[in-house]
Amino acid sequence: MAFFFVLLLLSMQETTENQQVHLDILAQKGVDLFLKREDRIHPFISGNKYRKLKYNLEEAKTQGFDTLLTFGGAFSNHIAATAYAGKIHGLNTIGIIRGEELAKKWQENSTLKQAHSHGMRFKFISRTSYREKSNPEFLEHLKEEFGAFYSLPEGGTNPLAIKGCEEILRTTDADFDIVCCAVGTGGTIAGISNAAFDSQKVLGFPALKGDFLQEDICKFALKENWELITGYHFGGYAKITEELIHFLNDFKIETHIPLDPIYTGKMMYGILDLIQKDYFPPQTKILVVHSGGLQGINGMNRNLQKKNLPLINI
Ligand SMILES: Cc1ncc(COP(=O)(O)O)c(C=O)c1O
């Protein structure tokens, strides 16, 4: 069994394809747009999650830990990825989940259900307690409860995660003018910015409302080649509208590429809107990082169904 998982891990594609996107608007405006298909690395450890976990898993093992503990919300791609990574690396996983109300109904949530099926144990805490997640005292309490663990912050962003995200861009990506990525905690954009070529500009599209991100990214980004394009968060984290759902479904029909509703869908909506508004001059070559997150669509669809809204086509 262990041999099977090692084979699976080795089969993960570290070098991902840049797929050209063909849409009328791109031809009209003379802009070339490619998607770096990081989402294809693996269904659960996809995109930036693979990059962020790679060196952290090595470190956890080097330090002799047998348990990973991390934090996340109900749809967290990071929770899904950590659970699966723990399973294939032979590490126990503990998820500290935001929202005590989920304790009674986590089985209804497909991200948590999958994570649990991959061996993750949960502790559900209130939103107030969750704000303490970086507080050393809070971590000490968790150690008393669970024993020794290798701790990964929310979203998996730490210096080793940035090191992994610096591997998203390849030397063959040097001829792109602009690199775009979705932003949550800011780790992915920091890694991309550090590795970007001198002539490139990195644009980040936050999935959250608020301006705390700039500061967070500056903790890890070494260059000043990046900018945040706010205004495409659709009301905030995990908030979605009918317009966004139709956009995701139309994009999938036209390009055969699935996007997630929380991060990459909002980013792509923003990029195409900017192209429509002539933000990029003709001949601009844009590389968009598809950071995955597709595992969250099922859970989102469940919520949409309850609200009688159209569903996202998978
Ligand atoms: C699919 C996806 N894309 C982008 C991001 C944003 O990454 P970061 O938190 O490093 O800004 C996340 C969040 O972790 C994500 O799950």
Side-chain angles (χ1 to χ4, degrees):
M1 196 65 164
F3 178 67
F4 168 74
F5 284 133
V6 170
L7 272 184
L8 197 68
L9 198 68
L10 291 174
S11 71
M12 286 184 192
Q13 285 276 335
E14 281 229 359
T15 306
T16 48
E17 177 208 358
N18 292 339
Q19 179 179 357
Q20 184 157 17
V21 176
H22 299 283
L23 291 170
D24 290 348
I25 181 73
L26 300 171
Q28 265 169 39
K29 301 286 182 180
V31 169
D32 283 343
L33 192 139
F34 287 73
L35 259 175
K36 186 174 274 299
R37 298 296 307 270
E38 294 272 298
D39 57 307
R40 286 189 169 152
I41 294 177
H42 186 271
F44 293 108
I45 318 178
S46 79
N48 59 351
K49 299 296 161 273
Y50 172 79
R51 306 291 176 188
K52 286 177 169 192
L53 283 168
K54 179 178 164 187
Y55 292 109
N56 275 295
L57 290 165
E58 274 181 31
E59 186 63 16
K61 286 186 183 173
T62 306
Q63 290 188 25
F65 286 100
D66 64 5
T67 301
L68 302 172
L69 179 141
T70 195
F71 304 84
F75 293 106
S76 170
N77 298 315
H78 170 65
I79 287 288
T82 305
Y84 198 82
K87 175 170 159 170
I88 59 178
H89 282 264
L91 296 165
N92 305 314
T93 51
I94 299 165
I96 308 298
I97 310 295
R98 182 181 55 227
E100 27 184 15
E101 73 283 357
L102 290 165
K104 287 197 196 101
K105 50 179 185 184
W106 65 265
Q107 277 105 332
E108 292 171 25
N109 174 292
S110 65
T111 298
L112 298 179
K113 219 161 85 176
Q114 286 284 358
H116 184 260
S117 76
H118 295 146
M120 184 174 264
R121 286 165 67 195
F122 299 130
K123 179 179 172 75
F124 297 94
I125 61 174
S126 68
R127 282 165 177 74
T128 316
S129 304
Y130 193 82
R131 280 188 216 113
E132 299 297 312
K133 61 190 176 300
S134 320
N135 181 337
E137 248 177 67
F138 182 67
L139 286 172
E140 274 314 308
H141 283 305
L142 291 174
K143 278 183 192 152
E144 281 161 26
E145 184 171 348
F146 294 109
F149 53 75
Y150 183 87
S151 166
L152 289 162
E154 182 183 48
T157 293
N158 65 10
L160 289 175
I162 309 300
K163 182 178 167 189
C165 290
E166 287 170 0
E167 295 177 356
I168 294 174
L169 288 183
R170 302 276 150 172
T171 47
T172 46
D173 298 326
D175 60 340
F176 286 99
D177 306 301
I178 305 281
V179 182
C180 297
C181 67
V183 178
T185 57
T188 307
I189 190 172
I192 291 173
S193 150
N194 292 349
F197 296 87
D198 287 347
S199 58
Q200 292 177 331
K201 173 123 200 222
V202 182
L203 299 182
F205 291 78
L208 299 88
K209 227 181 346 190
D211 33 79
F212 51 92
L213 273 169
Q214 198 86 17
E215 220 173 283
D216 290 350
I217 298 167
C218 287
K219 284 186 210 148
F220 296 111
L222 307 171
K223 300 182 187 172
E224 289 177 4
N225 56 357
W226 56 274
E227 191 186 325
L228 292 183
I229 308 284
T230 54
Y232 293 105
H233 53 65
F234 285 81
Y237 181 72
K239 298 258 170 32
I240 68 170
T241 63
E242 275 200 61
E243 186 190 5
L244 182 65
I245 299 168
H246 290 307
F247 169 76
L248 298 173
N249 288 341
D250 293 345
F251 187 84
K252 173 117 188 277
I253 290 168
E254 287 179 63
T255 64
H256 305 287
I257 301 171
L259 298 170
D260 86 291
I262 297 178
Y263 292 99
T264 56
K266 292 180 179 181
M267 162 182 65
M268 186 57 77
Y269 182 102
I271 294 166
L272 293 177
D273 191 47
L274 292 178
I275 290 172
Q276 175 68 46
K277 292 174 175 156
D278 296 318
Y279 183 89
F280 304 104
Q283 323 271 295
T284 304
K285 278 194 87 176
I286 305 175
L287 180 63
V288 181
V289 176
H290 192 324
S291 42
L294 302 174
Q295 67 80 31
I297 296 178
N298 281 333
M300 184 57 81
N301 272 343
R302 224 187 138 94
N303 279 3
L304 294 174
Q305 205 164 18
K306 280 187 201 156
K307 293 180 188 158
N308 259 333
L309 284 168
L311 302 188
I312 302 160
N313 297 332
I314 299 180

